[in-house]
Amino acid sequence: MEETIAVTEAAPLPKQRGDQLLDHAVRYVEERHWDVFPGTWLEAADGHELCSCADAACPLPGAHPARPDWATQATGSAVQVRRSWQRQPTASILLPTGRTFDALDVSESAGFLALARMERMNLTLGPVTCTPDRRMMFFVLPGAGAKIPDLVRRLGWAPAALDLRARGEGEYVAAPPTRLGGRGAVQWARRPTPANRWLPDAEELLSALAYACGREAAAERDRRE
């Protein structure tokens, strides 16, 4: 009897997670006007969760595009989003960059250092995510990729010396609450709110980010020496 009850109670959990993913995907479309598309998902196999792509060594399990034509899947239609997640309720939520926003990608340690600096400077921030692989994504206006190398040089840094890059056209980011295998879920360090609907330009955040990435690079050189 106890076994029957346990199975009955556990069964709804996948659906609950699917409902949660669908709800978030629809909200991104309706409230932020972001395009979204469904990615891969996690499947249980021999007590482990594997990526639906069937690659046992997948570097982004359950959090990458499921099809090569993913860019054409991305949609701003809530109706289409509902159809997509009804077909695969546990699909990851992916957001194409280079459309309504780009993302400045830095390490988690540099990102939190930069956030503290930005707050002291009273800078206007857009949404910011933290990923389970210890990266942070700062959402900025599109077009950041073309600007970053020159802006970094003006600040006195060689672009290749900093762990900082822009994700723009032809790329994507995973949105909360997408899970990255057993490593955990993508989370908001700064949630989307009405107050940050208008995104900053990359140039407004770059000084603080470059400073934090430079500090991290210097610390890494000191450790090696």
Side-chain angles (χ1 to χ4, degrees), residues 73-91:
Q73 279 187 289
T75 178
S77 164
V79 172
Q80 186 58 47
V81 166
R82 288 188 176 92
R83 288 174 181 165
S84 295
W85 267 269
Q86 284 167 358
R87 285 194 292 267
Q88 183 45 253
T90 56

Side-chain angles (χ1 to χ4, degrees), residues 91-116:
S92 53
I93 303 173
L94 305 180
L95 310 175
T97 50
R99 298 187 182 187
T100 52
F101 66 87
D102 281 1
L104 300 182
D105 178 349
V106 300
S107 72
E108 184 179 85
S109 56
F112 278 117
L113 178 60
L115 270 179

Side-chain angles (χ1 to χ4, degrees), residues 166-181:
R167 296 195 184 200
E169 187 175 358
E171 298 180 275
Y172 65 91
V173 295
T178 294
R179 286 177 52 209
L180 188 62

Side-chain angles (χ1 to χ4, degrees), residues 7-38:
V7 171
T8 302
E9 292 177 346
L13 291 178
K15 185 177 187 302
Q16 289 171 358
R17 174 161 172 77
D19 290 345
Q20 182 187 35
L21 288 163
L22 172 58
D23 179 62
H24 278 78
V26 170
R27 286 171 57 191
Y28 294 146
V29 167
E30 292 185 337
E31 297 178 10
R32 300 299 294 203
H33 304 294
W34 290 341
D35 286 357
V36 305
F37 67 98

